[in-house]
């Protein structure tokens, strides 16, 4: 049996190019498979390799969670408009920067709901900024951190990096 693991995927600047979906004004209009526009004409474009990575993670025995400090309903509405809400098993969205506290609560509920408590070594967190990783590691432990669009810049690079971090190669 393959080992379970958890992928935490930031949205702003990581899954998509927009820096703050909370600042956008719904309703959203889908422009194409991976892009949308808000009511003021502001566009958002998904990085295709990040969407593909989330899909691979789900197929590779990973639990995938969006992990953002946006206003939840706006982030979810953007994902729904893009047809990407199904990429995620969970949506961890709270409008404050304490991602460490959100993750701690989530891990506790995951333990109760699924009977699974991933160790820090089974968690991969991908974000375009490293501002949260210090608090997350203090609160939860030494999770694996990947700086998106820097540590890996393609689906193949990111997948290989995650497989190496988690020891998934050949599984």
């Amino acid at each position: 049996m393959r080992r379970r693991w958890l992928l935490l995927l930031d949205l702003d600047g990581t899954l998509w190019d927009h820096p703050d979906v909370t600042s956008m004004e719904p309703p959203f209009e889908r422009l194409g498979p991976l892009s949308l526009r808000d009511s003021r004409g502001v566009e958002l474009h998904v990085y295709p390799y990040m969407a593909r990575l989330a899909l691979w993670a789900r197929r590779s025995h990973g639990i995938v969670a969006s992990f953002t400090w946006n206003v939840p309903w706006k982030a979810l509405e953007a994902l729904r408009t893009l047809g990407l809400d199904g990429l995620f098993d969970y949506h961890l969205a709270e409008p404050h920067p304490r991602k460490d506290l959100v993750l701690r609560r989530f891990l506790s509920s995951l333990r109760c709901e699924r009977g699974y408590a991933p160790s820090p070594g089974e968690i991969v967190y991908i974000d375009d900024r490293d501002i949260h990783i210090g608090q997350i590691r203090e609160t939860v432990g030494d999770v694996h951190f990947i700086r998106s669009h820097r540590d890996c810049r393609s689906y193949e690079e990111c997948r290989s990096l995650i497989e190496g971090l988690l020891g998934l190669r050949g599984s």
Side-chain angles (χ1 to χ4, degrees):
M1 182 173 175
R2 294 181 114 175
R3 212 174 80 210
R4 299 289 300 170
W5 60 286
L6 173 63
L7 175 64
L8 303 169
L9 188 61
D10 178 54
L11 299 178
D12 294 336
T14 301
L15 178 64
W16 49 57
D17 64 354
H18 198 279
D20 182 18
V21 76
T22 294
S23 70
M24 296 181 78
E25 283 300 321
F28 297 124
E29 173 190 4
R30 189 171 180 170
L31 298 176
L34 296 176
S35 60
L36 61 77
R37 176 176 37 226
D38 76 355
S39 63
R40 294 179 303 201
V42 177
E43 293 185 10
L44 173 153
H45 306 274
V46 173
Y47 294 104
Y49 79 96
M50 282 292 167
R52 186 175 173 202
L53 187 69
L55 184 60
W56 165 79
R58 290 198 68 199
R59 291 178 177 165
S60 298
H61 218 56
I63 296 169
V64 182
S66 65
F67 194 41
T68 183
W69 62 304
N70 282 297
V71 171
W73 72 267
K74 284 191 178 183
L76 285 171
E77 186 60 29
L79 289 167
R80 280 189 203 106
T81 300
L82 292 162
L84 297 178
D85 53 322
L87 279 179
F88 301 95
D89 298 296
Y90 297 93
H91 297 287
L92 309 180
E94 292 186 16
H96 61 80
R98 292 298 306 269
K99 285 186 169 184
D100 61 313
L101 301 178
V102 174
L103 180 55
R104 183 174 61 194
R105 279 193 309 274
F106 173 67
L107 293 174
S108 178
S109 69
L110 192 61
R111 184 179 305 109
C112 293
E113 181 182 313
R114 288 199 179 186
Y116 172 61
S119 70
E122 296 171 320
I123 300 171
V124 176
Y125 165 42
I126 303 178
D127 199 324
D128 63 311
R129 301 182 304 163
D130 62 4
I131 61 172
H132 304 288
I133 191 60
Q135 284 182 319
I136 288 172
R137 285 182 171 153
E138 285 178 23
T139 303
V140 175
D142 196 19
V143 305
H144 299 290
F145 176 71
I146 296 173
R147 186 128 179 220
S148 61
H149 321 302
R150 182 179 286 183
D151 295 339
C152 58
R153 292 184 167 99
S154 70
Y155 165 74
E156 292 79 13
E157 283 183 3
C158 292
R159 177 180 170 171
S160 180
L161 181 56
I162 292 170
E163 287 175 335
L165 290 170
L166 297 175
L168 296 177
R169 290 180 213 253
S171 61

